[in-house]
Amino acid sequence: DTAVSQTPKYLVTQMGNDKSIKCEQNLGHDTMYWYKQDSKKFLKIMFSYNNKELIINETVPNRFSPKSPDKAHLNLHINSLELGDSAVYFCASSQETGANVLTFGAGSRLTVL
Amino acid sequence: AQSVAQPEDQVNVAEGNPLTVKCTYSVSGNPYLFWYVQYPNRGLQFLLKYITGDNLVKGSYGFEAEFNKSQTSFHLKKPSALVSDSALYFCAHLKYSSASKIIFGSGTRLSIRP
């Protein structure tokens, strides 16, 4: 059983389209995250939810909208995709916020043409 | 600003030799520090963390890291490298703000040659 699973693994789309990435964790963790890894492998936190409540919202364009229907799921919807949105998006979870260990999904590679 | 720095983009080591991947920190108060590894086309995996206590922290896959307060460093080490250790390694710290978050360094690519 995969602990943190993301779908789709690969996503190729045109500029201007809207797309979603889904994430589910079966670890019973309270906190979930979205990180973005760019082409130079820099990892940057985007959002975090704790028990369905948004607790971290970095300076991300408002075209990005996370949604957490329950504490096991955190989805990422992106409107009006731009070339610069091309990246690998990682979902992660942890038992609580703070110094708890992050468990990452395998990533979703988004390519915007 | 609180941060961790990984001064080397790439480290090359021969199999069987000891390896070190460097990390320095600039964090106020007591730092919470981590090492994660990323294998190709995979998500990051936790290796070890320093919260408090013993300065030598042992982690997964035979890795260890030493917290050095005087040098503000948290270098990752392994006594004998394996080809399978080749991967991207990230140092990270816990940043306290309105909500705590783990912030990653720029990563170091470790290449172990047979």
Side-chain angles (χ1 to χ4, degrees), chain A residues 4-19:
Chain A
V4 180
S5 58
Q6 301 178 224
T7 54
K9 193 172 174 64
Y10 299 99
L11 192 52
V12 180
T13 189
Q14 300 287 330
M15 267 196 322
N17 284 351
D18 304 338
K19 291 293 177 187

Side-chain angles (χ1 to χ4, degrees), chain A residues 9-10 35 37 40-43 45 55-56 58 90 97-107 109, chain B residues 32 34 36 38 41-46 49 51 88 90 94 98-106 109:
Chain A
K9 193 172 174 64
Y10 299 99
Y35 279 83
Q37 186 173 44
K40 295 185 177 178
K41 305 298 184 186
F42 290 117
L43 266 165
I45 189 167
I55 56 171
I56 294 173
E58 294 293 287
F90 286 100
T97 60
N100 283 287
V101 170
L102 296 176
T103 302
F104 281 84
R109 182 177 294 276
Chain B
Y32 287 9
F34 306 80
Y36 282 78
Q38 184 178 22
N41 300 313
R42 303 281 296 276
L44 279 72
Q45 295 178 36
F46 170 76
K49 67 178 177 182
I51 304 297
L88 190 54
F90 289 94
L94 182 68
S98 54
S100 301
K101 51 194 172 188
I102 293 178
I103 306 297
F104 290 89
S106 56
R109 189 165 297 283

Side-chain angles (χ1 to χ4, degrees), chain B residues 20-33:
Chain B
T20 298
V21 183
K22 295 180 181 177
C23 174
T24 58
Y25 66 88
S26 173
V27 176
S28 55
N30 294 322
Y32 287 9
L33 301 168

